[in-house]
Amino acid sequence: MNTALITGGSSGIGYGLSEKFASEGYRILWVSKPKEELAIAKKQIMADYPDLEIRTLTKDLSKEGSCKEVHEWANNIAPIDVLINNAGFGTYGFIKDCSIEKEVSMIQVNVKALYLLTRYFMGDMMKKDTGTIINISSNSSFETVPRMLTYSSTKAFVKHFSRGLNEELKMINSKVKVITICPAAVVDTNFKKEAKMERVKTFEGLAATSLKEVVADTWSAFEKGKSFQISGWKMRWLYKIYGFIPFSIKMKLTADETSEI
Ligand SMILES: NC(=O)c1ccc[n+]([C@@H]2O[C@H](COP(=O)([O-])OP(=O)(O)OC[C@H]3O[C@@H](n4cnc5c(N)ncnc54)[C@H](OP(=O)(O)O)[C@@H]3O)[C@@H](O)[C@H]2O)c1
């Protein structure tokens, strides 16, 4: 049986991907923050997929040492075939008003934990010369985003690091693969509530996408062995012209997108 480890698997994109991998017969390992929602989500997915083998670990990935503990825990269960670095959150507002503590915690989850888990599990995968790491970046990685400077910078790291790592693995003839997923604004997850962005235009904007589309795009990239996938068909079209738009105009457009309705 194949095993997928999904961080932040108990809600949003992570939950949607868990359902998809469960339906394909994978054993699922979840790592989420200590919360009662984790138990509720586990009950739900087990009701929908009665044959599913699922194991959960409550762990705050912003904490020192947490990724090592995740690695040890997972290795005691099964070799990991697919690692999905999905856990992450955003902060919103002009940087002068953002909490430094919250933003540092976000950097620890979105960047440091993703980096460490990738390093730990890619080592195991390289020994077997097989495995896939799916890293969830964002369309905010394409250019800096006013009112989401730190978040968009964390996602730029994810994109840069993951795409480059996949190239390095190819150069050394490794069969381990890294897939970078860049979803557009997803209207139906907890992200916007957690980031206090419920009234922000981008979620009702031209290029917004849905959880269903992100799950379908991610699965399709995985099945086809693609290394980079923008998720949301409208964003894929916009991206084709994005590089031709001058920086100052991009800033005006994104500043409008991140303003409140
Ligand atoms: N929604 C969007 O518009 C959008 C667009 C592009 C990319 N993304 C990215 O997609 C990923 C999933 O987001 P989502 O939209 O599905 O939002 P979500 O529903 O809020 O899911 C985020 C998940 O990350 C987990 N998480 C957050 N902080 C954590 C921590 N310190 N330790 C362990 N787990 C933690 C959460 O666990 P708890 O529930 O226990 O807190 C939750 O399961 C994120 O990386 C996000 O940046 C989202």
Side-chain angles (χ1 to χ4, degrees), residues 44 47-49 59 81 92 138 154 163 171 182 196 211 214 217 229:
Q44 180 65 53
D48 293 340
Y49 300 91
K59 195 64 56 191
D81 301 287
Y92 171 74
S138 161
T154 67
R163 295 196 81 181
M171 281 174 210
C182 291
K196 300 192 174 27
L211 174 56
V214 176
D217 285 343
Q229 180 66 58

Side-chain angles (χ1 to χ4, degrees), residues 36-220:
E36 63 188 46
E37 281 90 337
L38 176 65
I40 298 168
K42 186 177 175 184
K43 216 170 157 187
Q44 180 65 53
I45 200 165
M46 283 175 71
D48 293 340
Y49 300 91
D51 295 334
L52 172 66
E53 191 184 325
I54 181 163
R55 305 285 284 273
T56 61
L57 179 70
T58 51
K59 195 64 56 191
D60 184 341
L61 293 172
S62 70
K63 301 282 184 256
E64 197 64 41
S66 57
C67 294
K68 204 154 209 69
E69 286 165 23
V70 171
H71 185 231
E72 282 165 13
W73 168 76
N75 274 345
N76 279 330
I77 299 170
I80 301 304
D81 301 287
V82 181
L83 164 68
I84 307 182
N85 278 308
N86 162 77
F89 66 94
T91 52
Y92 171 74
F94 288 118
I95 193 97
K96 67 181 180 57
D97 303 321
C98 290
S99 148
I100 293 178
E101 289 73 23
K102 187 146 195 213
E103 293 223 308
V104 168
S105 172
M106 176 176 67
I107 293 166
Q108 275 157 344
V109 178
N110 295 11
V111 174
K112 189 178 170 189
L114 178 138
Y115 169 83
L116 287 174
L117 292 173
T118 299
R119 291 297 309 269
Y120 294 152
F121 286 99
M122 81 178 237
D124 303 334
M125 290 176 181
M126 286 176 78
K127 278 185 203 140
K128 295 183 295 157
D129 202 20
T130 179
T132 304
I133 299 171
I134 301 177
N135 285 342
I136 308 295
S137 177
S138 161
N139 66 340
S140 67
S141 67
F142 303 155
E143 192 55 88
T144 187
V145 177
R147 297 189 188 86
M148 297 188 83
L149 296 189
T150 315
Y151 175 74
S152 60
S153 303
T154 67
K155 292 299 174 177
F157 173 88
V158 175
K159 187 185 69 178
H160 227 64
F161 175 69
S162 309
R163 295 196 81 181
L165 177 57
N166 191 58
E167 290 308 306
E168 281 195 1
L169 288 166
K170 280 197 286 192
M171 281 174 210
I172 57 171
N173 297 319
S174 170
K175 292 199 176 70
V176 177
K177 199 157 180 60
V178 183
I179 305 175
T180 309
I181 306 291
C182 291
V186 189
V187 293
D188 47 354
T189 70
N190 289 337
F191 180 89
K192 59 182 177 182
K193 186 164 173 258
E194 294 283 332
K196 300 192 174 27
M197 292 179 75
E198 285 113 320
R199 289 170 40 79
V200 172
K201 277 186 190 171
T202 187
F203 293 98
E204 306 204 348
L206 193 62
T209 183
S210 65
L211 174 56
K212 197 173 164 201
E213 193 176 23
V214 176
V215 171
D217 285 343
T218 305
W219 181 260
S220 161

Side-chain angles (χ1 to χ4, degrees), residues 218-235:
T218 305
W219 181 260
S220 161
F222 175 66
E223 251 193 334
K224 291 178 183 156
K226 286 172 82 172
S227 57
F228 179 66
Q229 180 66 58
I230 295 169
S231 183
W233 69 269
K234 288 176 267 180
M235 182 49 73

